[in-house]
Amino acid sequence: MTTKIIYSRVEIDNAFDATTWQKKIFNELATNFRSRSRLFPCTFGVAGFEADQLRFAFSENMDPGEVSSALKCYLKDARSFGKNTSLLVLSRPGPIQSLEHYRARFWSTLDGIHQTDDTEWPETIPAQIDSAGWEWCFGGEQIFVVCNTPAHVNRQSRRFSSFMLTFQPRWVFNGILDTRETAEKATSKIRSRILQYDLINPSEDLGLYGDPDNREFAQYFLDDENRAATCPFHSFTKKNQNEEEKVA
C-alpha cells in the first residue's frame, strides 16, 4: 500500500484497487460531481474536481491525528493546486448513526485536530466561536469546513455515504466573496442548484463572512431541517491551557 497522505483525482485511480472502500466511496463522490441529470450545487467544487485541483485523504475512522497530518501536507502546497482547491477527507462507511451523533463527532474531531496544531491561533481571529469574525484556523490559515454525513436526508447537498469533511482555505474566496455584490453573483447559481438538489429550502444560516449577523460555525454542520444552529462550545482551547485553568 502506498504511503502517500493526500491524493489528486488522477492519482487515486492508480493508488487503490476497485474493491477497496477508498475507491468505492471516491467513485460515489466522482459520480456526484459529474452528474449531468442532477447537478451538484457547489459549482466551485465541480470545477475543482474536473481541473484536478481538489485533494483527497482517507482516514478509516476520521482519526484527528491522521486528518491533521493530511491537512498539514495539503496546506504546504495548497496554493499551487489552483483557485478551486479544497481538501476532502473521507472515512470508511459504517452503520448509520443519528444526526446528533455526527454533529457531536464533527465538533469533537475539529477540536482534536486543533489540539495537534503547533501554530498559534491568528491574532486577527477572535477565539470566541459565536462571533462574526470567527473562523476555524489551522496552521495559521483560516479554513471554512463542511461536514457531510449519511444521516442527512432532506439536505442532500450535505449527504454522503460516509462521514466526510471538506477543508477550504479562506483565500480561495478572494475576489469571489469580498463584497455583497460579488458574493451574490457567485452564489446565485449555487443557491438555484440547491433548490433543485435538496428536499428542503436553503438554510438561513448561510451567510457572508464578516457580516455582523453571520456566524461561520453555523454553516459548517447544517441541520437536516431549518432549525437555528446553536454554538457547540465557547472556543477552541489548547489542552495545556485547559490544564492551567484547572490548576488556577
Short mmCIF file of all heavy atoms in Angstrom, two decimals, residues 61-123:
data_model
loop_
_atom_site.label_atom_id
_atom_site.label_comp_id
_atom_site.label_asym_id
_atom_site.label_seq_id
_atom_site.Cartn_x
_atom_site.Cartn_y
_atom_site.Cartn_z
N ASN A 61 -11.36 5.93 10.43
CA ASN A 61 -12.26 6.35 11.50
C ASN A 61 -12.24 7.85 11.73
O ASN A 61 -12.65 8.32 12.79
CB ASN A 61 -11.91 5.61 12.80
CG ASN A 61 -12.07 4.11 12.67
OD1 ASN A 61 -13.13 3.63 12.29
ND2 ASN A 61 -11.01 3.35 12.96
N MET A 62 -11.76 8.61 10.75
CA MET A 62 -11.62 10.06 10.87
C MET A 62 -10.82 10.41 12.13
O MET A 62 -11.20 11.28 12.93
CB MET A 62 -12.99 10.75 10.88
CG MET A 62 -12.93 12.22 10.51
SD MET A 62 -12.32 12.56 8.83
CE MET A 62 -13.78 12.21 7.84
N ASP A 63 -9.68 9.74 12.27
CA ASP A 63 -8.81 9.99 13.42
C ASP A 63 -8.24 11.40 13.32
O ASP A 63 -7.66 11.77 12.28
CB ASP A 63 -7.67 8.97 13.42
CG ASP A 63 -6.67 9.23 14.51
OD1 ASP A 63 -6.96 8.88 15.67
OD2 ASP A 63 -5.59 9.80 14.22
N PRO A 64 -8.37 12.22 14.38
CA PRO A 64 -7.89 13.61 14.32
C PRO A 64 -6.41 13.73 13.97
O PRO A 64 -6.01 14.64 13.25
CB PRO A 64 -8.18 14.14 15.73
CG PRO A 64 -9.35 13.34 16.19
CD PRO A 64 -9.11 11.97 15.63
N GLY A 65 -5.60 12.80 14.47
CA GLY A 65 -4.17 12.84 14.16
C GLY A 65 -3.90 12.60 12.69
O GLY A 65 -3.05 13.27 12.07
N GLU A 66 -4.63 11.65 12.10
CA GLU A 66 -4.47 11.37 10.67
C GLU A 66 -4.96 12.54 9.82
O GLU A 66 -4.31 12.91 8.83
CB GLU A 66 -5.23 10.10 10.30
CG GLU A 66 -4.67 8.84 10.93
CD GLU A 66 -5.49 7.60 10.59
OE1 GLU A 66 -6.55 7.74 9.94
OE2 GLU A 66 -5.06 6.50 10.97
N VAL A 67 -6.07 13.11 10.21
CA VAL A 67 -6.60 14.25 9.46
C VAL A 67 -5.66 15.44 9.57
O VAL A 67 -5.42 16.16 8.60
CB VAL A 67 -8.01 14.64 9.96
CG1 VAL A 67 -8.54 15.83 9.16
CG2 VAL A 67 -8.96 13.47 9.84
N SER A 68 -5.10 15.64 10.76
CA SER A 68 -4.14 16.71 10.96
C SER A 68 -2.94 16.56 10.03
O SER A 68 -2.49 17.54 9.41
CB SER A 68 -3.67 16.73 12.42
OG SER A 68 -2.62 17.67 12.60
N SER A 69 -2.41 15.35 9.92
CA SER A 69 -1.27 15.10 9.04
C SER A 69 -1.61 15.40 7.59
O SER A 69 -0.82 16.00 6.85
CB SER A 69 -0.81 13.64 9.17
OG SER A 69 -0.33 13.38 10.48
N ALA A 70 -2.82 15.00 7.17
CA ALA A 70 -3.26 15.25 5.81
C ALA A 70 -3.42 16.75 5.57
O ALA A 70 -3.04 17.27 4.51
CB ALA A 70 -4.57 14.53 5.54
N LEU A 71 -3.96 17.45 6.55
CA LEU A 71 -4.19 18.88 6.42
C LEU A 71 -2.87 19.65 6.35
O LEU A 71 -2.71 20.58 5.55
CB LEU A 71 -5.03 19.37 7.59
CG LEU A 71 -5.69 20.76 7.50
CD1 LEU A 71 -6.43 20.93 6.19
CD2 LEU A 71 -6.62 20.96 8.69
N LYS A 72 -1.90 19.24 7.16
CA LYS A 72 -0.58 19.87 7.10
C LYS A 72 0.06 19.66 5.74
O LYS A 72 0.65 20.59 5.16
CB LYS A 72 0.32 19.29 8.20
CG LYS A 72 -0.03 19.72 9.60
CD LYS A 72 0.88 19.06 10.63
CE LYS A 72 0.51 19.47 12.05
NZ LYS A 72 1.35 18.77 13.06
N CYS A 73 -0.04 18.45 5.24
CA CYS A 73 0.52 18.12 3.93
C CYS A 73 -0.16 18.94 2.84
O CYS A 73 0.49 19.46 1.93
CB CYS A 73 0.37 16.63 3.67
SG CYS A 73 1.09 16.05 2.13
N TYR A 74 -1.47 19.07 2.95
CA TYR A 74 -2.23 19.81 1.95
C TYR A 74 -1.89 21.30 1.96
O TYR A 74 -1.61 21.89 0.91
CB TYR A 74 -3.72 19.62 2.22
CG TYR A 74 -4.61 20.56 1.45
CD1 TYR A 74 -4.84 20.38 0.08
CD2 TYR A 74 -5.23 21.65 2.08
CE1 TYR A 74 -5.64 21.25 -0.64
CE2 TYR A 74 -6.04 22.52 1.38
CZ TYR A 74 -6.24 22.32 0.02
OH TYR A 74 -7.03 23.19 -0.68
N LEU A 75 -1.89 21.91 3.15
CA LEU A 75 -1.67 23.35 3.25
C LEU A 75 -0.28 23.76 2.77
O LEU A 75 -0.09 24.88 2.29
CB LEU A 75 -1.90 23.81 4.68
CG LEU A 75 -3.35 23.78 5.17
CD1 LEU A 75 -3.42 24.15 6.65
CD2 LEU A 75 -4.22 24.73 4.34
N LYS A 76 0.65 22.85 2.88
CA LYS A 76 2.03 23.15 2.48
C LYS A 76 2.10 23.54 1.00
O LYS A 76 2.87 24.43 0.62
CB LYS A 76 2.93 21.94 2.76
CG LYS A 76 4.37 22.10 2.36
CD LYS A 76 5.21 20.96 2.93
CE LYS A 76 4.74 19.60 2.41
NZ LYS A 76 5.04 19.40 0.96
N ASP A 77 1.29 22.90 0.16
CA ASP A 77 1.35 23.15 -1.28
C ASP A 77 0.02 23.62 -1.87
O ASP A 77 -0.12 23.71 -3.09
CB ASP A 77 1.78 21.88 -2.01
CG ASP A 77 3.17 21.41 -1.61
OD1 ASP A 77 4.08 22.25 -1.58
OD2 ASP A 77 3.32 20.21 -1.32
N ALA A 78 -0.96 23.92 -1.02
CA ALA A 78 -2.33 24.18 -1.48
C ALA A 78 -2.41 25.28 -2.53
O ALA A 78 -3.17 25.18 -3.50
CB ALA A 78 -3.23 24.52 -0.30
N ARG A 79 -1.63 26.34 -2.37
CA ARG A 79 -1.73 27.47 -3.30
C ARG A 79 -1.27 27.11 -4.70
O ARG A 79 -1.58 27.83 -5.66
CB ARG A 79 -0.93 28.65 -2.75
CG ARG A 79 -1.56 29.26 -1.50
CD ARG A 79 -0.74 30.42 -0.95
NE ARG A 79 -1.29 30.92 0.30
CZ ARG A 79 -2.23 31.86 0.40
NH1 ARG A 79 -2.72 32.41 -0.70
NH2 ARG A 79 -2.67 32.25 1.58
N SER A 80 -0.56 26.02 -4.83
CA SER A 80 -0.10 25.61 -6.17
C SER A 80 -1.11 24.72 -6.87
O SER A 80 -0.95 24.41 -8.06
CB SER A 80 1.24 24.87 -6.06
OG SER A 80 1.07 23.61 -5.43
N PHE A 81 -2.16 24.28 -6.16
CA PHE A 81 -3.12 23.35 -6.74
C PHE A 81 -4.15 24.03 -7.64
O PHE A 81 -4.73 23.38 -8.51
CB PHE A 81 -3.84 22.56 -5.65
CG PHE A 81 -2.93 21.69 -4.83
CD1 PHE A 81 -3.21 21.43 -3.49
CD2 PHE A 81 -1.79 21.13 -5.38
CE1 PHE A 81 -2.37 20.63 -2.73
CE2 PHE A 81 -0.94 20.34 -4.62
CZ PHE A 81 -1.22 20.09 -3.28
N GLY A 82 -4.41 25.30 -7.41
CA GLY A 82 -5.40 26.01 -8.23
C GLY A 82 -6.40 26.78 -7.38
O GLY A 82 -6.51 26.55 -6.17
N LYS A 83 -7.15 27.67 -8.02
CA LYS A 83 -8.04 28.57 -7.29
C LYS A 83 -9.28 27.87 -6.72
O LYS A 83 -9.95 28.41 -5.84
CB LYS A 83 -8.48 29.71 -8.21
CG LYS A 83 -9.32 29.27 -9.39
CD LYS A 83 -9.77 30.47 -10.23
CE LYS A 83 -10.66 30.04 -11.40
NZ LYS A 83 -11.13 31.21 -12.19
N ASN A 84 -9.60 26.69 -7.22
CA ASN A 84 -10.78 25.96 -6.73
C ASN A 84 -10.41 24.75 -5.89
O ASN A 84 -11.12 23.74 -5.87
CB ASN A 84 -11.66 25.52 -7.91
CG ASN A 84 -12.38 26.68 -8.56
OD1 ASN A 84 -12.94 27.53 -7.88
ND2 ASN A 84 -12.35 26.74 -9.89
N THR A 85 -9.32 24.85 -5.18
CA THR A 85 -8.84 23.71 -4.40
C THR A 85 -9.54 23.60 -3.05
O THR A 85 -10.01 24.58 -2.47
CB THR A 85 -7.32 23.81 -4.18
OG1 THR A 85 -6.85 22.60 -3.58
CG2 THR A 85 -6.97 24.99 -3.28
N SER A 86 -9.62 22.39 -2.56
CA SER A 86 -10.10 22.06 -1.22
C SER A 86 -9.50 20.70 -0.88
O SER A 86 -9.09 19.96 -1.77
CB SER A 86 -11.62 21.97 -1.15
OG SER A 86 -12.25 23.19 -1.39
N LEU A 87 -9.47 20.38 0.41
CA LEU A 87 -9.08 19.04 0.85
C LEU A 87 -10.32 18.32 1.34
O LEU A 87 -11.01 18.80 2.24
CB LEU A 87 -8.05 19.10 1.98
CG LEU A 87 -7.70 17.75 2.61
CD1 LEU A 87 -6.96 16.85 1.62
CD2 LEU A 87 -6.88 17.93 3.89
N LEU A 88 -10.61 17.15 0.76
CA LEU A 88 -11.74 16.33 1.18
C LEU A 88 -11.20 15.09 1.88
O LEU A 88 -10.41 14.35 1.31
CB LEU A 88 -12.59 15.91 -0.02
CG LEU A 88 -13.46 17.00 -0.68
CD1 LEU A 88 -12.60 17.97 -1.48
CD2 LEU A 88 -14.51 16.38 -1.58
N VAL A 89 -11.64 14.89 3.12
CA VAL A 89 -11.21 13.74 3.91
C VAL A 89 -12.39 12.79 4.06
O VAL A 89 -13.43 13.17 4.59
CB VAL A 89 -10.68 14.16 5.28
CG1 VAL A 89 -10.14 12.93 6.03
CG2 VAL A 89 -9.59 15.22 5.15
N LEU A 90 -12.22 11.57 3.58
CA LEU A 90 -13.29 10.58 3.56
C LEU A 90 -12.98 9.47 4.55
O LEU A 90 -11.83 9.01 4.65
CB LEU A 90 -13.47 10.00 2.16
CG LEU A 90 -13.93 10.96 1.05
CD1 LEU A 90 -12.76 11.79 0.54
CD2 LEU A 90 -14.52 10.18 -0.11
N SER A 91 -14.01 9.01 5.26
CA SER A 91 -13.85 7.90 6.20
C SER A 91 -14.55 6.67 5.67
O SER A 91 -15.32 6.73 4.71
CB SER A 91 -14.40 8.29 7.58
OG SER A 91 -15.81 8.48 7.51
N ARG A 92 -14.30 5.55 6.33
CA ARG A 92 -14.92 4.29 5.89
C ARG A 92 -16.39 4.26 6.28
O ARG A 92 -16.75 4.57 7.42
CB ARG A 92 -14.20 3.12 6.53
CG ARG A 92 -14.71 1.77 6.06
CD ARG A 92 -13.81 0.65 6.55
NE ARG A 92 -14.14 -0.61 5.90
CZ ARG A 92 -13.28 -1.59 5.70
NH1 ARG A 92 -12.02 -1.45 6.09
NH2 ARG A 92 -13.65 -2.71 5.11
N PRO A 93 -17.28 3.88 5.36
CA PRO A 93 -18.71 3.78 5.70
C PRO A 93 -18.96 2.75 6.80
O PRO A 93 -18.24 1.76 6.91
CB PRO A 93 -19.36 3.33 4.37
CG PRO A 93 -18.39 3.76 3.32
CD PRO A 93 -17.03 3.59 3.93
N GLY A 94 -19.96 3.02 7.61
CA GLY A 94 -20.33 2.11 8.68
C GLY A 94 -21.81 2.25 8.97
O GLY A 94 -22.54 2.90 8.21
N PRO A 95 -22.30 1.64 10.05
CA PRO A 95 -23.72 1.77 10.41
C PRO A 95 -24.10 3.24 10.54
O PRO A 95 -23.36 4.04 11.12
CB PRO A 95 -23.81 1.04 11.76
CG PRO A 95 -22.65 0.08 11.74
CD PRO A 95 -21.56 0.80 11.01
N ILE A 96 -25.26 3.60 10.00
CA ILE A 96 -25.69 5.00 10.05
C ILE A 96 -26.16 5.36 11.46
O ILE A 96 -26.97 4.67 12.05
CB ILE A 96 -26.82 5.25 9.03
CG1 ILE A 96 -26.31 4.96 7.61
CG2 ILE A 96 -27.33 6.69 9.13
CD1 ILE A 96 -27.38 5.11 6.54
N GLN A 97 -25.60 6.46 11.96
CA GLN A 97 -25.94 6.95 13.29
C GLN A 97 -26.92 8.14 13.16
O GLN A 97 -27.27 8.55 12.06
CB GLN A 97 -24.67 7.38 14.02
CG GLN A 97 -23.60 6.32 14.10
CD GLN A 97 -24.00 5.13 14.96
OE1 GLN A 97 -24.75 5.29 15.94
NE2 GLN A 97 -23.54 3.94 14.61
N SER A 98 -27.32 8.69 14.30
CA SER A 98 -28.22 9.83 14.29
C SER A 98 -27.47 11.09 13.86
O SER A 98 -26.23 11.17 13.94
CB SER A 98 -28.81 10.06 15.69
OG SER A 98 -27.80 10.51 16.58
N LEU A 99 -28.22 12.08 13.41
CA LEU A 99 -27.61 13.34 13.01
C LEU A 99 -26.89 13.99 14.18
O LEU A 99 -25.82 14.58 14.02
CB LEU A 99 -28.68 14.28 12.44
CG LEU A 99 -28.16 15.43 11.58
CD1 LEU A 99 -27.57 14.91 10.27
CD2 LEU A 99 -29.27 16.43 11.30
N GLU A 100 -27.48 13.88 15.36
CA GLU A 100 -26.84 14.47 16.54
C GLU A 100 -25.52 13.78 16.86
O GLU A 100 -24.59 14.42 17.35
CB GLU A 100 -27.79 14.41 17.74
CG GLU A 100 -28.97 15.35 17.63
CD GLU A 100 -28.54 16.78 17.32
OE1 GLU A 100 -27.64 17.29 18.00
OE2 GLU A 100 -29.08 17.38 16.39
N HIS A 101 -25.45 12.49 16.61
CA HIS A 101 -24.19 11.77 16.79
C HIS A 101 -23.12 12.36 15.90
O HIS A 101 -21.99 12.61 16.34
CB HIS A 101 -24.39 10.29 16.47
CG HIS A 101 -23.10 9.53 16.30
ND1 HIS A 101 -22.45 8.92 17.36
CD2 HIS A 101 -22.33 9.29 15.19
CE1 HIS A 101 -21.34 8.35 16.92
NE2 HIS A 101 -21.24 8.55 15.62
N TYR A 102 -23.46 12.60 14.63
CA TYR A 102 -22.47 13.13 13.69
C TYR A 102 -22.12 14.58 14.02
O TYR A 102 -20.98 15.00 13.83
CB TYR A 102 -22.99 13.02 12.26
CG TYR A 102 -23.06 11.60 11.75
CD1 TYR A 102 -24.29 11.02 11.45
CD2 TYR A 102 -21.91 10.84 11.59
CE1 TYR A 102 -24.37 9.71 10.98
CE2 TYR A 102 -21.98 9.53 11.13
CZ TYR A 102 -23.21 8.97 10.83
OH TYR A 102 -23.27 7.68 10.38
N ARG A 103 -23.10 15.34 14.52
CA ARG A 103 -22.82 16.72 14.89
C ARG A 103 -21.77 16.76 16.02
O ARG A 103 -20.80 17.52 15.95
CB ARG A 103 -24.10 17.43 15.34
CG ARG A 103 -23.90 18.94 15.56
CD ARG A 103 -25.05 19.52 16.38
NE ARG A 103 -26.35 19.18 15.84
CZ ARG A 103 -26.97 19.87 14.89
NH1 ARG A 103 -26.39 20.93 14.36
NH2 ARG A 103 -28.16 19.49 14.46
N ALA A 104 -21.99 15.93 17.02
CA ALA A 104 -21.04 15.88 18.14
C ALA A 104 -19.69 15.36 17.67
O ALA A 104 -18.64 15.86 18.10
CB ALA A 104 -21.61 14.98 19.25
N ARG A 105 -19.70 14.37 16.79
CA ARG A 105 -18.46 13.81 16.27
C ARG A 105 -17.69 14.85 15.45
O ARG A 105 -16.46 14.94 15.53
CB ARG A 105 -18.77 12.59 15.41
CG ARG A 105 -17.53 11.86 14.90
CD ARG A 105 -17.93 10.66 14.04
NE ARG A 105 -16.77 10.01 13.48
CZ ARG A 105 -16.82 9.04 12.58
NH1 ARG A 105 -18.00 8.61 12.15
NH2 ARG A 105 -15.71 8.49 12.11
N PHE A 106 -18.42 15.65 14.69
CA PHE A 106 -17.80 16.69 13.88
C PHE A 106 -17.02 17.68 14.75
O PHE A 106 -15.84 17.94 14.52
CB PHE A 106 -18.86 17.42 13.07
CG PHE A 106 -18.36 18.69 12.42
CD1 PHE A 106 -17.46 18.64 11.38
CD2 PHE A 106 -18.79 19.93 12.88
CE1 PHE A 106 -16.99 19.81 10.78
CE2 PHE A 106 -18.33 21.10 12.30
CZ PHE A 106 -17.43 21.04 11.25
N TRP A 107 -17.69 18.23 15.76
CA TRP A 107 -17.02 19.22 16.59
C TRP A 107 -15.91 18.61 17.44
O TRP A 107 -14.88 19.25 17.68
CB TRP A 107 -18.05 19.95 17.46
CG TRP A 107 -18.89 20.89 16.65
CD1 TRP A 107 -20.20 20.74 16.29
CD2 TRP A 107 -18.45 22.10 16.03
NE1 TRP A 107 -20.60 21.80 15.50
CE2 TRP A 107 -19.56 22.64 15.32
CE3 TRP A 107 -17.23 22.80 16.02
CZ2 TRP A 107 -19.47 23.85 14.62
CZ3 TRP A 107 -17.15 23.99 15.30
CH2 TRP A 107 -18.26 24.50 14.62
N SER A 108 -16.11 17.38 17.86
CA SER A 108 -15.06 16.69 18.61
C SER A 108 -13.83 16.46 17.72
O SER A 108 -12.69 16.62 18.16
CB SER A 108 -15.58 15.35 19.14
OG SER A 108 -14.56 14.62 19.77
N THR A 109 -14.08 16.11 16.46
CA THR A 109 -12.97 15.89 15.52
C THR A 109 -12.22 17.18 15.25
O THR A 109 -10.99 17.21 15.24
CB THR A 109 -13.50 15.30 14.20
OG1 THR A 109 -14.17 14.06 14.46
CG2 THR A 109 -12.37 15.07 13.21
N LEU A 110 -12.96 18.28 15.02
CA LEU A 110 -12.30 19.57 14.79
C LEU A 110 -11.45 19.97 15.99
O LEU A 110 -10.34 20.49 15.85
CB LEU A 110 -13.34 20.65 14.52
CG LEU A 110 -13.78 20.91 13.08
CD1 LEU A 110 -14.49 22.25 12.97
CD2 LEU A 110 -12.63 20.85 12.10
N ASP A 111 -11.99 19.75 17.18
CA ASP A 111 -11.24 20.08 18.39
C ASP A 111 -9.99 19.20 18.49
O ASP A 111 -8.91 19.68 18.85
CB ASP A 111 -12.11 19.90 19.63
CG ASP A 111 -11.42 20.38 20.89
OD1 ASP A 111 -10.86 21.49 20.88
OD2 ASP A 111 -11.43 19.63 21.89
N GLY A 112 -10.13 17.91 18.16
CA GLY A 112 -8.98 17.00 18.20
C GLY A 112 -7.90 17.41 17.22
O GLY A 112 -6.69 17.35 17.53
N ILE A 113 -8.29 17.84 16.03
CA ILE A 113 -7.32 18.31 15.04
C ILE A 113 -6.63 19.57 15.57
O ILE A 113 -5.41 19.73 15.44
CB ILE A 113 -8.02 18.61 13.70
CG1 ILE A 113 -8.66 17.35 13.13
CG2 ILE A 113 -7.03 19.19 12.69
CD1 ILE A 113 -9.59 17.61 11.96
N HIS A 114 -7.42 20.46 16.16
CA HIS A 114 -6.86 21.70 16.72
C HIS A 114 -5.80 21.42 17.77
O HIS A 114 -4.79 22.12 17.86
CB HIS A 114 -8.00 22.54 17.31
CG HIS A 114 -7.52 23.72 18.08
ND1 HIS A 114 -6.98 24.84 17.48
CD2 HIS A 114 -7.49 23.96 19.42
CE1 HIS A 114 -6.65 25.72 18.41
NE2 HIS A 114 -6.95 25.21 19.59
N GLN A 115 -6.02 20.37 18.57
CA GLN A 115 -5.06 20.05 19.63
C GLN A 115 -3.69 19.67 19.09
O GLN A 115 -2.69 19.77 19.79
CB GLN A 115 -5.61 18.91 20.50
CG GLN A 115 -6.95 19.18 21.17
CD GLN A 115 -6.92 20.36 22.12
OE1 GLN A 115 -5.87 20.74 22.62
NE2 GLN A 115 -8.08 20.95 22.36
N THR A 116 -3.64 19.24 17.84
CA THR A 116 -2.35 18.84 17.25
C THR A 116 -1.65 20.00 16.56
O THR A 116 -0.51 19.85 16.11
CB THR A 116 -2.56 17.73 16.19
OG1 THR A 116 -3.21 18.28 15.03
CG2 THR A 116 -3.39 16.59 16.75
N ASP A 117 -2.33 21.15 16.45
CA ASP A 117 -1.78 22.29 15.71
C ASP A 117 -0.70 22.98 16.54
O ASP A 117 -0.95 23.44 17.65
CB ASP A 117 -2.91 23.27 15.39
CG ASP A 117 -2.49 24.35 14.41
OD1 ASP A 117 -1.36 24.28 13.90
OD2 ASP A 117 -3.31 25.26 14.16
N ASP A 118 0.51 23.04 15.99
CA ASP A 118 1.60 23.68 16.71
C ASP A 118 1.78 25.15 16.33
O ASP A 118 2.78 25.78 16.69
CB ASP A 118 2.92 22.91 16.49
CG ASP A 118 3.24 22.71 15.02
OD1 ASP A 118 2.57 23.32 14.17
OD2 ASP A 118 4.15 21.92 14.72
N THR A 119 0.82 25.69 15.58
CA THR A 119 0.84 27.10 15.20
C THR A 119 -0.14 27.88 16.06
O THR A 119 -1.24 27.42 16.32
CB THR A 119 0.46 27.28 13.71
OG1 THR A 119 1.33 26.49 12.91
CG2 THR A 119 0.56 28.74 13.30
N GLU A 120 0.25 29.08 16.49
CA GLU A 120 -0.62 29.89 17.33
C GLU A 120 -1.86 30.33 16.55
O GLU A 120 -1.82 30.54 15.34
CB GLU A 120 0.12 31.14 17.83
CG GLU A 120 1.24 30.85 18.82
CD GLU A 120 0.71 30.27 20.13
OE1 GLU A 120 -0.38 30.71 20.57
OE2 GLU A 120 1.36 29.38 20.69
N TRP A 121 -2.97 30.44 17.26
CA TRP A 121 -4.20 30.94 16.66
C TRP A 121 -3.96 32.37 16.17
O TRP A 121 -3.38 33.18 16.89
CB TRP A 121 -5.30 30.93 17.71
CG TRP A 121 -6.69 31.17 17.19
CD1 TRP A 121 -7.34 32.37 17.12
CD2 TRP A 121 -7.60 30.20 16.68
NE1 TRP A 121 -8.59 32.20 16.60
CE2 TRP A 121 -8.79 30.88 16.31
CE3 TRP A 121 -7.53 28.81 16.49
CZ2 TRP A 121 -9.90 30.23 15.77
CZ3 TRP A 121 -8.63 28.16 15.95
CH2 TRP A 121 -9.79 28.86 15.60
N PRO A 122 -4.36 32.70 14.94
CA PRO A 122 -4.11 34.04 14.40
C PRO A 122 -4.66 35.15 15.31
O PRO A 122 -5.79 35.06 15.79
CB PRO A 122 -4.85 34.02 13.05
CG PRO A 122 -4.88 32.58 12.67
CD PRO A 122 -5.05 31.84 13.96
N GLU A 123 -3.87 36.17 15.54
CA GLU A 123 -4.28 37.26 16.42
C GLU A 123 -5.49 38.02 15.90
O GLU A 123 -6.24 38.62 16.68
CB GLU A 123 -3.11 38.23 16.63
CG GLU A 123 -1.93 37.64 17.38
CD GLU A 123 -0.84 38.65 17.61
OE1 GLU A 123 -1.00 39.82 17.15
OE2 GLU A 123 0.18 38.31 18.24
#
